[in-house]
Amino acid sequence: MERRKVIGIGVGAALAVPPAWWGLRQVASGAEEDWHTDTAPLERAFPLLGPLTGAKWVSSRDNDRDLPSPELVISGFATLAPGKRAELTAAHAFVSEGPADDFSSWFEKPLKGEGPEDPQWIRSPELDRDDSGHTTHLWFDRRSDTVRFRALNPYG
C-alpha cells in the first residue's frame, strides 16, 4: 500500500509540471494579455476623441469561443490626451449616467475590474451614435481622462 501512495504522488507531481512549465513559457515569451492595447482602431472608430494615449479593449471577434460573433462589437477603456475631456465637455451637453451593466457579454470578461477606481461617469447623447447599424456609447470619467466605450459595427 505504501508503494502505491508513493507512485501516486510521483505521477501527480509529474502531471503538475507541464502546466506550470507551459505557464512560465507563456510569461517568458511575452504572451498577449486578454485585451488589445492598440489605439489606432479606436481612433478610426471614434475620431472625435482625437489621439488616444492608451487603451484596453476587447472585441466580439476575439477567439474565446468556437463561433465568434458575426457582428463586430468593441468594448473597453481608452485614455484621452490631456485636455481633450475638458474640450469635449465644453462643446457638448453631458448628463450624469453610467453604463447599465458591468461588462456582461462573454467577450468582455477580461475587462471586469479594469478601468478607473470609483469612476464618476458622464455621457453625451450627442456623441453617441445610433444610425444605420452603428450603435456607440461613450462614458467619460469626470476624475480622469478615461472613456469607457461599447460600439456595435463601429466602422460601418
Side-chain angles (χ1 to χ4, degrees):
M1 199 73 156
E2 280 288 286
R3 184 176 173 177
R4 288 184 186 173
K5 283 184 183 178
V6 171
I7 291 172
I9 291 170
V11 169
L15 291 175
V17 171
W21 174 81
W22 180 83
L24 290 173
R25 192 175 112 208
Q26 292 295 96
V27 170
S29 68
E32 290 186 28
E33 297 287 341
D34 291 335
W35 53 71
H36 303 276
T37 58
D38 47 334
T39 59
L42 303 179
E43 290 169 351
R44 284 193 314 273
F46 314 120
L48 289 175
L49 299 181
L52 300 171
T53 61
K56 285 184 180 178
W57 59 279
V58 293
S59 161
S60 62
R61 293 191 182 152
D62 290 342
N63 196 13
D64 189 31
R65 294 192 335 182
D66 292 336
L67 296 171
S69 172
E71 294 188 299
L72 175 62
V73 180
I74 58 174
S75 182
F77 299 99
T79 307
L80 301 171
K84 187 63 177 183
R85 182 179 47 85
E87 177 186 319
L88 290 169
T89 55
H92 302 279
F94 279 80
V95 296
S96 293
E97 184 181 324
D101 63 10
D102 187 29
F103 300 114
S104 60
S105 293
W106 63 268
F107 69 94
E108 294 174 313
K109 290 183 297 186
L111 296 173
K112 285 190 181 239
E114 296 297 320
E117 188 174 319
D118 194 27
Q120 293 184 355
W121 298 117
I122 57 175
R123 67 176 277 272
S124 173
E126 297 172 38
L127 295 178
D128 290 349
R129 296 181 306 200
D130 194 358
D131 58 337
S132 66
H134 297 80
T135 304
T136 300
H137 298 287
L138 303 170
W139 298 273
F140 298 81
D141 181 23
R142 288 184 184 177
R143 295 193 226 172
S144 68
D145 289 324
T146 302
V147 60
R148 178 177 165 178
F149 59 87
R150 189 168 205 284
L152 170 66
N153 296 325
Y155 306 109

